[in-house]
């Protein structure tokens, strides 16, 4: 790995501004790193030629004095964002070969701000998963290794993005988070992941999983980088009716380093039965760091926490069952049919062959909970519990500025583990799902290592549209933790 | 309470338009039953007086001006279609 | 007037509710900026949203909301200041999203009323249950290829209002009157062009039968009937079928049926029955549609005078019968035409001329009032000429014939053809004297008491003056001369 791939987004930005190197040089270094680490399978589609063209154009733009917020910075894009003329698969076979004729708003914002796209990163199929094991294009391997040297999952669903950033195959990457898909893989890969408030980033052009939960956000190596990138992604979009008509603040300016007098809540319900000691210790350490920095850490209660996962596993599949109905083999993507097949035959064969097992399971669960006779018992009930969870947070935020919890209940696990039982896999999202249901901003910051030498993260949850507070506190936590471990092979 | 039999799974699979073989049906019924057992926990929550929360966006629906700003992109619309003819998408014959 | 179908076991009453889909008049679609116009090349008026490309999102058209509210106001219905869009999930070739965005438990418009104008001049109120907004589907074409269907999405996403009536309709005639009135209202409002044969207004009929006063029977839904006449036929045929089934000891199953006007029968659409589970749920891509009273009152200000009000005013201002007023307000163009004819003239006479003579003639020509060769101004002038005794009513009919043929000004025609009524006593006297001189025997008969011979003399005088003599004057002068 070269020095250029070890830069933070902020340093690279400043180095480009000073003329220490060009965007083409930065991009070439990342293209080389991407090629060298193909075995990790972080990318589904690499776009080196396009990256170099964008980098060249960026250098020219800079020479004319027209540098944007992310001018010349090479990043990776989760393959859930539709990118014009570049294959977009959502890691599904059903979208293999799909070439969008449009650019998602978030990627358009990033490219408009000068960012350079290196390629499209791997993910769980349709973002449904917490391990990246459900991708049709093969699983992603976490750049980190435990003491036993086994291949580990990067988390999911934005596992390719997390692996690319941790493995220095991109300065930063976009992720999307529905129930934890930015924060959990960030924690598993020792990077920073920020899920903004629902409505902060446009969903237009992002392949939908669960519309009321999906939110795009940055995956970076520092909190500052997350602030920079969020500023370049976010903004009101008239094409998304759920996009918030709000100005984008200067998130980087929130990094004052001063959290004296801020009130931070510790929800007792997150101290779940069987929480591993190393996670409990990580959390306690985080509390101590914030106290030392002058924050007022208080106990709070979020009584409906234990119902968040079941609620999520009704709401998200229900929406998904409908959102994924458009993959029918008619207008785009794969089609499977034989001579003499009826329309229904074609639908059924196409969708059976095009969707993987986990996606099929979720579509069917979603179909079931919405079907006649079950709507009230499952779906509508879940929406009511969701209201309770939302109210829990609203009550807590009456007294605290942010909430601190672990990001995930464990460190990254081995490839193949937990895959025998879908429900076991769902438990990975136990700490991230509540904030998703409430639409709140959540930031995962790496603050320590597990006994096995793997990164662990803490999560900060903020008030709606108060990303600035979680960024400020996250910055303090980051400095205090001084997390500087790197994946194996990157130490030098 | 929430054990799914093969018949129900067959019906859900058809509503979902996913072809499931006879052998897969049993395994799927097991998987889906496990998931249903997991979400069953919600039944114990008291939601008296709680309005269903369908969106966290604290907004009302934004209205668009009635202007023709889109369309006239037949090529883009058809670009990814598995089969087209005479500007149309083509599907197996539909009997009405 | 109760409509009864006589079965083999006794009389049956029919119960009908109608669901009418009206295409909203707007430039662009309900949730996308593509043109809502028809007749374009296939898939040309289609956006990536209409084609349901991955990641595409709906944004609602304000005009469609206004049009729905306007229609709701026209139906004297409750306007819901908060309504919700839901997804109706089903797979179909012309439904790209795999769901239709519609409104389910919270429609934009609630209960209202529509007044039917029956042919005998009576009226009947039918309840409106709801009006909701939804997307249209695309079009499947099956004749292009033996093995495949072609899909054109130009219509996909076009805004529809679905207007659902209460089951208050009791005869095919009432169903016809309902649709006629609905069409008139949306046309007056400018919210839908109401063309059933072009599909911009489509009707589904829910039909059941029962013994008078009994509970509602099981209903069948007859889908997509495309003319008022066919709706009326379909209802009668379906009701007869149901009666036969029940009287034969069978049971009606709730199902969707298709009307075949050629065979004169309805038949089951089993294909649509496979799995009827639409799994409605609130569309998470759209937030609740909320507007305030000011939004509604702005729309209220733009409401035109609607058929019912216009009818009442015509009866009041022009002294018309309910029937005549009803005929005239049935279409806005007709009403406007009539008022231009009637302004400042005898309203009843104007109504007679417009309804009997003009509409009769237009009917023969097969043209609309908007294409009438006789303008309202000219018809008004013609009535004026009768009123001021320039021509007689009989001559007026001849002049009208010429107007229909040539479109000419009646004054010019009268001038040109010398049709002015003779009111000069000298000229009439000369003509009378000639007839008397030529028929002394007949004069004698009258004097002997055969009064009705007088009519024959009037006819002769009229004939000799080419019909131009003022008939009243002829009558009086003849009487004076022969009997006086
Ligand atoms: Mg209907
Ligand atoms: Zn409808």
């Amino acid at each position: 790995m070269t020095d250029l791939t070890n830069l933070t987004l902020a340093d690279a930005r400043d180095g480009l501004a000073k003329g220490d190197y060009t965007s083409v040089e930065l991009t070439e270094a990342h293209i080389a790193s991407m090629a060298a680490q193909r075995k990790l399978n972080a990318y589904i589609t690499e776009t080196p030629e396009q990256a170099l063209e964008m980098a060249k154009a960026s250098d020219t733009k800079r020479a004319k004095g027209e540098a944007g917020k992310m001018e010349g910075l090479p990043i990776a894009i989760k393959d859930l964002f539709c990118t014009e003329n570049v294959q977009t698969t959502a890691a599904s076979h059903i979208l293999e070969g799909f070439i969008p004729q449009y650019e998602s708003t978030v990627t358009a914002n990033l490219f408009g701000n000068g960012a350079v796209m290196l390629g499209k990163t791997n993910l769980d199929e349709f973002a449904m998963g917490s391990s990246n094991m459900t991708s049709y294009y093969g699983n992603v391997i976490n750049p980190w290794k435990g003491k036993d040297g086994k291949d580990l999952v990067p988390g999911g669903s934005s596992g390719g993005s997390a692996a690319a950033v941790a493995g220095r195959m991109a300065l930063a990457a976009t992720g999307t988070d529905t129930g934890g898909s930015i924060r959990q893989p960030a924690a598993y890969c020792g990077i920073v992941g920020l899920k903004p408030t629902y409505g902060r980033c446009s969903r237009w052009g992002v392949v939908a999983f669960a519309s009321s939960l999906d939110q795009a956000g940055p995956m970076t190596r520092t909190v500052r980088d997350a602030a920079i990138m969020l500023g370049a992604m976010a903004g009101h979009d008239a094409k998304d009716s759920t996009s918030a008509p709000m100005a984008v603040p200067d998130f980087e300016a929130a990094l004052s380093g001063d959290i004296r007098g801020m009130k931070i809540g510790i929800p007792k319900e997150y101290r779940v039965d069987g929480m591993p000691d190393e996670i409990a210790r990580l959390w306690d350490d985080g509390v101590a760091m914030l106290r030392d920095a002058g924050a007022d850490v208080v106990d709070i209660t979020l009584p409906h926490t234990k119902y968040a996962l079941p609620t999520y596993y009704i709401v998200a599949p229900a929406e998904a069952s409908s959102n994924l109905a458009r993959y029918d083999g008619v207008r785009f993507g794969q089609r499977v049919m034989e001579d003499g097949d009826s329309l229904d035959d074609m639908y059924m064969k196409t969708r059976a062959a095009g969707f993987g097992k986990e996606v099929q399971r979720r579509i069917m669960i979603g179909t079931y909970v919405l079907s006649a006779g079950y709507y009230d018992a499952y779906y509508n009930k879940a929406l009511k519990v969701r209201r309770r969870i939302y109210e829990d947070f609203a009550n807590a935020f009456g007294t605290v500025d942010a909430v601190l919890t672990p990001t995930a209940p464990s460190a990254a696990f081995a490839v193949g583990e937990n895959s025998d039982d879908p429900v076991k896999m769902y438990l990975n999202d136990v700490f991230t799902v509540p904030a998703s249901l409430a639409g709140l901003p959540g930031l995962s910051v790496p603050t320590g290592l597990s006994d096995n030498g793997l990164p662990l993260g803490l999560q900060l949850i903020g008030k709606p549209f108060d990303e600035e507070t979680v960024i400020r506190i996250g910055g303090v936590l980051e400095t205090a933790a001084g997390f500087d471990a790197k994946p194996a092979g990157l130490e030098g | 309470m929430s054990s799914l039999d093969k018949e129900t799974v067959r019906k859900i699979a058809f509503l979902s338009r996913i072809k499931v073989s006879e052998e897969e049906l049993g395994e799927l019924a097991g998987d889906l039953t496990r998931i249903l057992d997991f979400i069953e926990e919600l039944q114990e929550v008291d939601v008296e007086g709680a309005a269903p929360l369908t969106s966290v966006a604290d907004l009302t629906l934004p209205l668009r001006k009635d202007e023709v700003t889109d369309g006239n992109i037949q090529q883009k619309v058809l670009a990814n279609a598995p089969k087209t003819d005479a500007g149309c998408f083509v599907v197996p014959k539909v009997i009405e | 007037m109760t409509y009864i179908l006589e079965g083999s076991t006794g009389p049956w009453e029919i119960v009908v509710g109608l669901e009418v889909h009206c295409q909203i008049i707007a430039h662009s679609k309900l949730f996308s900026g593509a043109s809502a116009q028809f007749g374009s090349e296939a898939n040309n008026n289609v956006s990536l949203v209409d084609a349901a490309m991955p990641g595409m999102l709906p944004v609602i058209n304000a005009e469609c909301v206004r049009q729905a509210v306007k229609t709701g106001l026209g139906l004297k219905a409750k306007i819901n200041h908060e309504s919700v869009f839901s997804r109706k999930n089903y797979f179909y070739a012309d439904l790209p999203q795999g769901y239709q965005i519609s409104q389910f438990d919270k429609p934009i418009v609630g209960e209202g009323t529509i007044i039917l104008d029956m042919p005998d001049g009576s009226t009947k109120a039918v309840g409106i249950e709801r009006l909701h907004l939804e997307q249209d589907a695309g079009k499947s074409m099956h004749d292009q290829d033996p093995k495949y269907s072609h899909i054109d999405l130009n219509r996909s996403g076009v805004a529809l209002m679905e207007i659902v009536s209460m089951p208050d309709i009791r005869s095919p005639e009432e169903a016809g009157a309902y649709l006629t009135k609905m069409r008139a209202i949306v046309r007056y409002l400018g919210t839908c062009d109401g063309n059933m044969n072009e599909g911009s207004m489509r009707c589904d009929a829910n039909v059941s039968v029962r013994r008078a006063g009994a509970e509602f029977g099981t209903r069948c839904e007859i889908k997509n009937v495309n003319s008022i006449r066919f709706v009326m036929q379909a209802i009668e045929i379906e009701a007869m079928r149901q009666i036969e089934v029940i009287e034969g000891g069978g049971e009606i199953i709730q199902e969707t049926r298709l009307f075949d006007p050629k065979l004169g029968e309805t038949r089951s659409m089993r294909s649509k029955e496979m799995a009827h589970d639409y799994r409605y749920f609130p569309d998470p891509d759209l937030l609740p549609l909320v507007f305030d009273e000011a939004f509604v009152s702005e729309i209220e200000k733009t409401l035109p005078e609607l058929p019912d009000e216009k009818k009442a005013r015509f009866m009041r201002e022009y002294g018309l019968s309910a029937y005549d007023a009803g005929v005239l307000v049935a279409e806005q163009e007709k009403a406007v035409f009539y008022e231009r004819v009637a302004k400042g003239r005898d309203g009843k006479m104007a109504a007679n001329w417009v309804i009997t003579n003009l509409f009769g003639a237009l009917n023969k020509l097969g043209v609309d009032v908007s294409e009438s060769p006789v303008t309202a101004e000219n018809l008004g002038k013609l009535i004026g000429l009768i009123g001021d005794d320039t021509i007689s009513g009989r001559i007026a009919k001849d002049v009208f014939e010429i107007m229909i043929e040539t479109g000419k000004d009646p004054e010019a025609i009268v001038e040109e053809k010398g049709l002015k009524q003779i009111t000069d006593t000298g000229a009439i006297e000369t003509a009378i004297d000639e007839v008397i001189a030529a028929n002394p025997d007949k004069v004698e008969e009258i004097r002997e008491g055969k009064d009705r011979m007088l009519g024959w003399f009037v006819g002769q005088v009229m004939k000799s003056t080419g019909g131009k003599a003022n008939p009243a004057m002829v009558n009086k002068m003849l009487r004076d001369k022969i009997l006086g």
Side-chain angles (χ1 to χ4, degrees), chain A residues 47-95:
Chain A
T47 56
E49 283 124 48
Q50 185 177 335
L52 284 171
E53 259 173 53
M54 288 175 89
K56 256 179 236 157
S58 171
D59 285 333
T60 309
K61 228 172 113 194
R62 182 180 296 282
K64 285 194 250 164
E66 297 165 0
K69 283 183 206 159
M70 300 244 319
E71 197 58 56
L73 301 171
I75 60 169
I77 302 297
K78 186 179 185 180
D79 204 19
L80 199 65
F81 293 84
C82 291
T83 42
E84 194 167 5
N85 297 324
V86 176
Q87 179 185 241
T88 299
T89 67
S92 182
H93 178 41
I94 210 160
L95 274 178

Side-chain angles (χ1 to χ4, degrees), chain C residues 309-331:
Chain C
E309 285 92 68
K310 209 184 265 299
K311 181 179 167 190
R313 183 169 62 80
F314 279 11
M315 290 167 71
R316 199 173 60 236
E317 277 181 22
Y318 299 106
L320 303 188
S321 68
Y323 178 81
D324 282 357
V327 170
L328 290 171
V329 304
E331 285 172 38

